[in-house]
Amino acid sequence: MALPVAFFALFFAWPVAAIVTRGLEADGAWRFGRLVDVVTQPDIRHVLWFTTWQALASTALTLLLALPAAHVFARLDFPGKQLLRAVVTVPFVLPTVVVGSAFLALVGRHGLLDELWGVRLDTTVWAILLAHVFFNYAVVVRTVGGLWSQLDPRQEEAARMLGASPLTAWRKVTLPALAPAVAAAALMVFLFTFTSFGVVQILGGPAFSTLEVEIYRQTSEVFDLSTAAVLTLVQFAAVGAILAVHAWTVRRRETALRLVDPKTTARRPRGFAQWALLAGVLASVAVLLLLPLAVLVRRSLDGWGLGYYRALTDADGGTFLVAPVRAVWTSLEYALAATAIAVVIGGLAAAALARRDAGRLVRGFDALLMLPLGVSAVTVGFGFLIALDRPPLDLRQSWILVPLAQALVGAPFVVRTMLPVLRAVDGRLREAAAVLGASPWRAWREVDLPMVRRALLVAAGFAFAVSLGEFGATVFIARPDNPTLPVAVARLLSRPGELNYGQAMALSTILMVVCAAALLVLERLRTDRTGEF
């Protein structure tokens, strides 16, 4: 635990504490009254209200549209199911900047809807809600569908034989069993939408602002650190409460049910209702998930040529000090370094948490590992500039600063992927190796590593995809001569002109292809134990 604890203390707790302290401290005294002053401001109350209700609306809409798909993946067997599963998961690993760009190409100025019917939604809340559904669709399908596929269908069939209608049988038998998974999925979607940044930054315009966007505005535009610090504390408290409820629902899901082999529960569609449901889900996937990506690719083409892609090789001397295409290689280099750090830190943490004799303090660290996913990435990025600005850790001019910030987000995915597999390794195998004279290192290499190798590769793939698309912290610390892909896309979108817009769409398409390729590799490596998140 020593290295993971030191890493999170140094590169997460310290930067966050530094910016909060600087914002709330004046003349050596803490200004706790500032908390009340900020929260009671009308514009801040509006931000808090919008952040909460759009997260609730996004969660409800995602559940409404994704639960039928969860049923289809759990209970129906049809050609192309595995490919469709990968397609559904692609949006989840896409950077939020790409999601925003895709919907901007669909509903924004000169977008598909604007060209066909003269309709623009880029400055309305509907664009934000639909983009959140696009991003979180796979969370519900994987979380609820993974459990649904393991529920014994004979229980619902028994209720039907006793006279219950299909709806009553589902409501009285299946829904109560699925409730913990539905609650866990809803809480995860709420967490992701409550802390939404890139989507709202691109699609919301000046009219809509979440807590994360407001923290960014107060920090980088208004330079009001005290207000940003208060909003950070509010978001931190809200995220802590959400994670506490999430941990409770996950424990219920793990201990309250008896499950069966998922391979025995899926059947070919039978009857008009099942075929209609399958057709409806395929249509919703095509409209909600594939159409925005297809429009993004179309907008990246100059007519039907590659002019925007060729323009990426030219240094414009304005937004970038280098050619925009350099952002591709910079992002890949940073993501590889971040993946290596995340695998080491997350792997050590997972190994410690997997021990059956782990104490309560060690188990409590498991919950703390999830905090970087919910705490403002903007706060972490700006905190890096404040905290890591003097020897022996003056890293403001070092390239390693970006991979460190990205690894903070990737490490929790490594832990969540490897922990179930490590816990499943029979400890008696290690004991037998020790009796035969193997050192602890050799026992791990000969016993554990062959069993967790695939989970380790899956964890590395998730960490790579997440690191590649990190935006909130990177936007502060990426150097002008080494922008990452998400930062380059955001900067191009902020500048007027058709060429800048086309280059942003081209870079977004490249980023989408790289993330999708990483996901397809993950699907080939996926097992029943490591494939769900």
Side-chain angles (χ1 to χ4, degrees), residues 1 4-5 7-8 254 339 341-355 362-373 407-423 452 455-456 458-463 529-530 532-533:
M1 290 296 296
V5 169
F7 178 81
F8 277 89
E254 289 178 343
T339 300
I341 297 171
V343 167
V344 172
I345 299 299
L348 290 174
L353 293 169
R355 292 181 60 90
V362 173
R363 291 195 299 270
F365 186 64
D366 187 17
L368 296 178
L369 288 171
M370 299 295 291
L371 284 179
L373 297 180
L408 278 173
V409 183
F413 284 90
V414 175
V415 175
R416 295 271 71 81
T417 303
M418 295 188 63
L419 190 55
V421 181
L422 286 170
R423 282 175 173 166
V452 304
L456 183 63
V458 171
F462 268 120
R529 295 177 116 168
T530 62
E532 305 299 334
F533 57 82

Side-chain angles (χ1 to χ4, degrees), residues 92-107:
F92 181 75
V93 300
L94 288 181
T96 55
V97 171
V98 174
V99 176
S101 300
F103 274 83
L104 193 64
L106 180 63
V107 303

Side-chain angles (χ1 to χ4, degrees), residues 143-144 147 174-187 246 248-254 256-257:
T143 304
V144 180
L147 178 61
T174 304
L175 184 58
L178 288 176
V182 173
L187 282 167
H246 175 248
W248 177 70
T249 58
V250 167
R251 284 197 300 270
R252 282 188 60 198
R253 184 181 65 174
E254 289 178 343
L257 302 171

